[in-house]
Amino acid sequence: MIAEWISRIFGTSSSEKCDVFFSYRQSDSQVVVASLVEALGNLGVTCWVDKDRLELGGGIRKQIAKAIDESTLHLVVVSEGSRHSQWIDKELRTILNRETRTGVKSLVPLYVSTRIDETVHPGELAERAGLRWNNNPQEIAVLIQRRLDEMKST
């Protein structure tokens, strides 16, 4: 029973395709990500989160690039510290390149910061309509699931 629940939420391997890829800064967004992954899992949405999916000994960049390419939706958690994360910047560029290549707008910002402007994250991300963290992961999970349904139906 527990193994089935874990498999449903996190999947069984890093190479499985997932519905949602999470790009976030662990130091200031871990609680938000964990609660949202659980809420999405309860809706049957599979998530790719680095700490749960990276294979030990595997190339990190290669695994992340593959996960981005194989995920349907890319949730970038925008926090005060995310602007200074080289990993988020690399992931963001990979996601934007995928959007250009496929023609599918898959990037959705999730703002957990009180400030939503170009000082938090400049450029493309600042111009995207996104979600604002409201301490209600179930509500946000439903909105993400709706967006996934829209994406899958086109």
Side-chain angles (χ1 to χ4, degrees), residues 102-123:
T102 64
V104 176
K105 296 289 186 190
S106 61
L107 175 84
V108 175
L110 172 62
Y111 298 102
V112 297
S113 170
T114 56
R115 293 172 36 212
I116 302 175
D117 57 28
E118 291 209 15
T119 63
V120 175
H121 239 292

Side-chain angles (χ1 to χ4, degrees), residues 7-54:
S7 175
R8 183 169 48 94
I9 292 177
F10 299 112
T12 56
S13 81
S14 67
S15 61
E16 267 185 23
K17 293 182 179 183
C18 289
D19 297 312
V20 179
F21 174 91
F22 277 83
S23 178
Y24 68 105
R25 183 173 172 150
Q26 289 183 4
S27 62
D28 57 7
S29 302
Q30 202 162 4
V31 172
V32 170
V33 171
S35 60
L36 192 50
V37 166
E38 181 177 357
L40 287 164
N42 290 336
L43 297 174
V45 175
T46 57
C47 299
W48 198 97
V49 177
D50 58 355
K51 71 178 188 64
D52 300 315
R53 294 295 193 127
L54 288 174

Side-chain angles (χ1 to χ4, degrees), residues 130-142:
L131 301 167
R132 182 183 282 278
W133 181 249
N134 61 1
N135 291 315
N136 187 340
Q138 292 79 15
E139 181 181 313
I140 292 173
V142 168

